[in-house]
Amino acid sequence: MSPAGTFSTALFSVPVAYAFGLTDREDDSCYVPDSRMAGRLAGEHLLSLGRRHIAHITGEAADTATTGRERGLLSSLAEAGLAPATGTLRGDWSRVWGAAACHRLIDSGARFDAVFCGNDQIALGAESVLLASGRRVPDDVALVGVDDWENVISGQHTRHLTTVDMGLAALGAAAAAQVADGRGAPGTHAQPCTLVVGATTAGQRPGA
């Protein structure tokens, strides 16, 4: 998932704050998830589990969410003296792409023991291919997604997929509070996110 698009508030005469969207005016206030933080959280979590060969499958290259999450992952790997297992695999945000990209990753022959996926749909597609190939998740390959849609959609608070919750409720509340207050700092306000640990990383710790 990524910010919905770029808008303009030039015609508005009342306080406006954008939640999960960007505008083309520097004096507008935009509240968006901290995508770089999401990538860092995922990378740091996988590293803490002893994973050292981390691949990345994600969405469109021009998307700000894509670039932020990738930069966060790369910075966490660099601080550990590591590089990604392969170049970033970029496509769309679908489960179909996640499966296709995972096939490509396996066929490349690259060594990998974890995959950070740009969203949960990509992660679920990748998981289906990993399991079909005989790889165990998470013992052989750990998976992390982004969005926490499993819980949002089902409402059952399950914990199958390890993911990053982008904190959309708090993001919306922050934007609404600024509108109610009638003033606020212009610019883009990156809101913090949190890691939600599930079964796709909670298995056996591999050797380094």
Side-chain angles (χ1 to χ4, degrees):
M1 183 169 56
S2 60
T6 300
F7 307 93
S8 174
T9 59
L11 300 179
F12 289 95
S13 60
V14 295
V16 174
Y18 283 88
F20 203 63
L22 300 172
T23 81
D24 54 7
R25 289 163 50 92
E26 293 182 357
D27 56 348
D28 286 341
S29 297
C30 304
Y31 291 80
V32 296
D34 189 337
S35 293
R36 186 167 185 137
M37 180 180 182
R40 284 193 63 88
L41 287 174
E44 289 169 356
H45 176 60
L46 291 169
L47 290 169
S48 76
L49 299 175
R51 310 293 167 143
R52 294 296 180 268
H53 308 281
I54 302 172
H56 186 36
I57 302 172
T58 191
E60 294 91 345
D63 196 300
T64 57
T66 300
T67 56
R69 292 168 195 179
E70 181 180 11
R71 288 170 182 166
L73 172 67
L74 293 178
S75 66
S76 65
L77 292 178
E79 289 172 11
L82 299 172
T86 65
T88 298
L89 298 172
R90 299 182 179 88
D92 59 33
W93 297 103
S94 70
R95 190 177 301 204
V96 171
W97 162 241
C102 192
H103 275 300
R104 189 182 304 178
L105 179 59
I106 292 171
D107 291 345
S108 74
R111 180 183 178 188
F112 65 99
D113 57 15
V115 184
F116 170 45
C117 298
N119 74 356
D120 290 350
Q121 291 301 312
I122 292 173
L124 292 172
E127 182 184 32
S128 68
V129 171
L130 291 170
L131 295 176
S133 73
R135 292 167 171 81
R136 299 169 298 167
V137 177
D139 297 74
D140 298 323
V141 181
L143 280 176
V144 179
V146 178
D147 288 339
D148 199 21
W149 276 119
E150 183 179 5
N151 293 328
V152 172
I153 293 175
S154 71
Q156 296 177 357
H157 302 289
T158 57
R159 285 293 180 265
H160 171 68
L161 183 65
T162 295
T163 185
V164 180
D165 183 342
M166 302 305 281
L168 298 186
L171 183 154
Q178 176 174 320
V179 172
D181 186 55
R183 64 179 186 274
T188 300
H189 304 275
Q191 303 296 293
C193 45
T194 56
L195 183 76
V196 180
V197 178
T200 58
T201 62
Q204 178 181 349
R205 179 188 176 98

